[in-house]
Structure formats: C-alpha cells, structure tokens
Amino acid sequence: MTQMQRIELAPGYSVSRIIKGGWQLAGDHGSVDRATAIADMGAYYEAGMTAFDCADIYTGVEEMIGEFRADYRKRRGAESLAQLKIHTKFVPDLSSLRTIDRKLVEQTIDRSLSRLRVERLDLVQFHWWDYSVPRYLEVAQWLLELQRAGKIDRLSGTNFDTQRTQELIESGVQLTSMQVQYSLLDRRPAKKLSAYAREHGIHLLCYGTVAGGFLSNRWLGAPEPGRDIANRSLIKYKLIIDDFGGWEVFQTLLRTLENIAGKHDVSMSTIATRWVLDQPQVAAAIVGVRRADHLPEHMKVLSVALDAEDRAAIEQVLARSTAIEGDVYSVERDIHGRHGNIMKYELNGAA
C-alpha cells in the first residue's frame, strides 16, 4: 500500500494529507454500526491516515473517537497514538448567535474535551452561520482565551470567506487552517481565499472533493435525479451540479474523469481528489465514508500524478462550466435560498 504523505500545518504540528472525515458517521446518512466504525478508525490510523475530522454537532462522533482512543491506547500502549490529530469544530446554533456568552463557549469546548477523552483539543475549527450577527470576532476571542488557558492547541475556521478570514487574522486570532468545500464542481476557494491563505500561512483542509459521491462511476450515464435523492448530502451537491452548469456538463466531466482514471488504473473519485490536493495552498482532503472498504482506493490518491494532458482535458470541461457565484460558502449563507434552506442550524441539542 502507498505510504501516507504528511504535511506540517504549523511548527511541530503535522497531519496526513488524507483526513478521515466523521460527518458520515453522524447517522444522517444511514445506520451506523458503532463497533465497526470504531474498528475502522484503527484501520485508517494504521494505514497512516492519522488525522480525524469531527464536530461538536456530529451526533455521537466525538464519543466514538474518544472510545477508539481509549481502547487503542489500552491495547497498544500510551505512545501508540502519538501521531493522532483530532480536528473538531465549534458550531453554535443559529438561534444562539445573538446571546452566546463566554460560559457557553467554554462549556461546549469542555464537552468536546470530555467526549474525546483528552486534556487538550488538537485543533478547533470555528463556524459562524450568519454574518449579519457580527459577533464572530467577539466569540473568536473567547476561543483564543481558551487556547491560552491550554484547552485548545490550534485554532482554525471552517467556511469563513476571505473578508471574514482577514477580520479574524487582524483581530489577533492565528488561524492554522480553514476548512472549505473544494472540488472540480466548486472552485470558489481559488477566487480569493487561496491567495490570502498563502500570504498568511493558513492551510486549506478540503471537504466535498467527490461531491458526496457524485464524482464517481455510479453517476456516469445515470439519469438526472429528482427531488427524491437519498440524503441531505446528495441534495446539497446536486444543487452544486446545477450551479456548475447542469447535468449535461456534469456528465461531460465524468466521461473525462473516466478516461483519466482508466489511464492511471484508479477510480474517477481518486482523480477528483488528487486534483484538489494539487491546488495551491491545499494541505489535505477530508474523505467521509462509513466503512473501511474504501481505504485502499483512498490510499491510491497519493500515488497518482496528473500529467499535463490530464490537466488540460479537465480544464477543457471546466471552461464550459459556470463558476459558482460569490466567495467561499456565500450561496449557502442565504438561509431561505436554494442552498441554505436544506441546512440544519440547531444541532447542539441533538448532539
């Protein structure tokens, strides 16, 4: 199996270039076998995928990772998880943005510490639903205080656009990374954020690289799905496909990826993820799966090298597509819009 590549996000803080995502384990994508999910974490870790992504609002996921940590250390020894980095999130509910106080912030961080069974959180990614409630700088300062108190190692963000990323930096918050949606279908980070991130030493950690599975052979030649899509993740990415240029242009992209994948003897999903990893300032791709049977294909991402011919073929399709409007996560911030009205904004109670 290919050796996992690593990247340093900050002095002394390195992660695998493929990060195991936790969203698919939250139960919103189908039933999850807890014991199998925890065993799979061991398989990914031993393959070199030593960074796990989760969130305070992913129901049950922090607890599963905490159980994995405790069990693995018990069986393998205290030093067995020396390379493990757990990236969680701080996502206050939409309804709490106007009233959130320092006490609630600390309680939420303490809850993650307890669930993950750690004394300090490796990396906390801050998310803010609504910029019209301009308290994110105030709340970020409370997270900074908790970092100085030793409860958090590294502070980061998720889905902040370039302007608000700049505001956070200028307020004194040192961001290690920014988690963003980035794929062949959604190239918004390349507009402005990548360049700003490069100037300020911020690394991009990317989710959605295969668009919830749409960038796979399963959808090649398939009829365009209607409103009866299986889960909220697929609904979300189908809207991105619509904005990309529609089903016909999407199918052209899949045919192109199929040709490139055949040339390299890998899946088209592997090619799609490799393309993202090759983009400026991208440190890692987050892969979200419920079972470890995808692990061998994930590892192939690191051994594939797209050549000039591959990149030119992809660019020909992208030139026919439509760029999604706005900066990172901007269309999703319209709560009543096509993208925003499928979101769940009050998840801390369920979590």
Side-chain angles (χ1 to χ4, degrees):
M1 187 178 287
T2 304
Q3 184 174 359
M4 176 59 66
Q5 298 167 3
R6 301 185 64 78
I7 187 167
E8 190 172 71
L9 302 185
Y13 194 102
S14 66
V15 298
S16 49
R17 292 209 72 196
I18 304 292
I19 295 175
K20 186 184 187 305
W23 187 34
Q24 296 277 356
L25 298 178
D28 199 27
H29 303 83
S31 61
V32 175
D33 184 298
R34 184 182 183 90
T36 300
I38 292 171
D40 287 348
M41 291 176 192
Y44 275 88
Y45 182 76
E46 290 167 8
M49 204 174 295
T50 57
F52 293 179
D53 180 82
C54 60
D56 53 354
I57 60 170
Y58 295 175
T59 307
V61 179
E62 285 183 326
E63 291 95 334
M64 278 190 276
I65 295 175
E67 186 174 336
F68 159 72
R69 285 189 74 261
D71 179 66
Y72 201 90
R73 286 167 61 91
K74 182 178 180 180
R75 291 186 292 107
R76 303 295 181 92
E79 297 302 313
S80 61
L81 292 176
Q83 287 193 312
L84 180 64
K85 298 295 184 186
I86 303 171
H87 298 176
T88 193
K89 299 182 185 72
F90 172 68
V91 187
D93 289 344
L94 176 65
S95 64
S96 75
L97 300 187
R98 297 183 186 278
T99 58
I100 188 171
D101 56 18
R102 190 190 185 285
K103 181 180 179 181
L104 179 58
V105 174
E106 186 164 15
Q107 286 175 341
T108 306
I109 294 301
D110 286 345
R111 184 180 66 179
S112 291
L113 287 166
S114 176
R115 289 170 170 177
L116 291 167
R117 308 188 194 188
V118 296
E119 296 180 357
R120 181 176 66 175
L121 299 176
D122 293 325
L123 184 142
V124 174
Q125 301 162 111
F126 176 34
H127 175 82
W128 192 260
W129 290 113
D130 187 358
Y131 294 147
S132 72
V133 184
R135 300 188 62 219
Y136 47 89
L137 295 180
E138 180 183 14
V139 175
Q141 290 300 313
W142 293 332
L143 290 170
L144 186 58
E145 290 176 11
L146 293 172
Q147 182 185 36
R148 290 168 178 159
K151 293 190 176 186
I152 299 169
D153 185 6
R154 311 298 308 184
L155 278 176
S156 293
T158 182
N159 294 326
F160 278 92
D161 63 16
T162 310
Q163 177 186 333
R164 278 74 184 192
T165 299
Q166 181 176 348
E167 290 176 10
L168 287 167
I169 292 293
E170 292 177 350
S171 74
V173 179
Q174 184 178 357
L175 296 173
T176 297
S177 59
M178 184 61 67
Q179 186 175 141
V180 293
Q181 182 171 289
Y182 205 165
S183 72
L184 285 160
L185 301 172
D186 181 3
R187 306 180 303 285
R188 285 176 288 177
K191 291 182 179 181
K192 294 192 294 184
L193 183 62
S194 292
Y196 182 83
R198 183 172 61 251
E199 292 172 5
H200 295 273
I202 303 168
H203 298 269
L204 301 185
L205 306 179
C206 302
Y207 68 92
T209 63
V210 297
F214 270 115
L215 291 171
S216 68
N217 189 71
R218 172 188 173 188
W219 292 98
L220 179 63
E224 182 173 4
R227 289 181 168 269
D228 55 342
I229 305 179
N231 59 54
R232 190 162 50 94
S233 176
L234 288 179
I235 296 171
K236 162 188 168 71
Y237 290 111
K238 175 55 170 61
L239 292 173
I240 293 295
I241 290 171
D242 295 342
D243 292 349
F244 176 75
W247 200 250
E248 182 179 344
V249 179
F250 170 64
Q251 287 295 316
T252 301
L253 176 62
L254 290 188
R255 289 192 293 270
T256 300
L257 293 178
E258 181 188 36
N259 291 336
I260 297 171
K263 171 181 167 181
H264 293 280
D265 194 26
V266 295
S267 71
M268 66 171 70
S269 295
T270 294
I271 298 299
T273 300
R274 180 72 254 179
W275 182 90
V276 173
L277 280 179
D278 290 341
Q279 301 312 300
Q281 211 55 26
V282 171
I286 301 165
V287 297
V289 293
R290 283 185 289 147
R291 301 181 305 277
D293 51 2
H294 293 280
L295 178 56
E297 195 63 34
H298 287 149
M299 295 299 293
K300 290 180 182 180
V301 173
L302 305 207
S303 62
V304 171
L306 300 180
D307 58 30
E309 181 182 47
D310 300 331
R311 291 190 292 271
I314 290 171
E315 286 302 321
Q316 283 187 349
V317 182
L318 298 185
R320 293 181 50 192
S321 69
T322 302
I324 299 175
E325 65 181 43
D327 204 331
V328 167
Y329 211 72
S330 61
V331 297
E332 291 86 348
R333 289 190 182 278
D334 179 359
I335 296 171
H336 305 293
R338 294 167 53 248
H339 296 267
N341 66 17
I342 67 166
M343 301 289 181
K344 293 185 177 180
Y345 298 98
E346 310 290 329
L347 288 170
N348 276 285

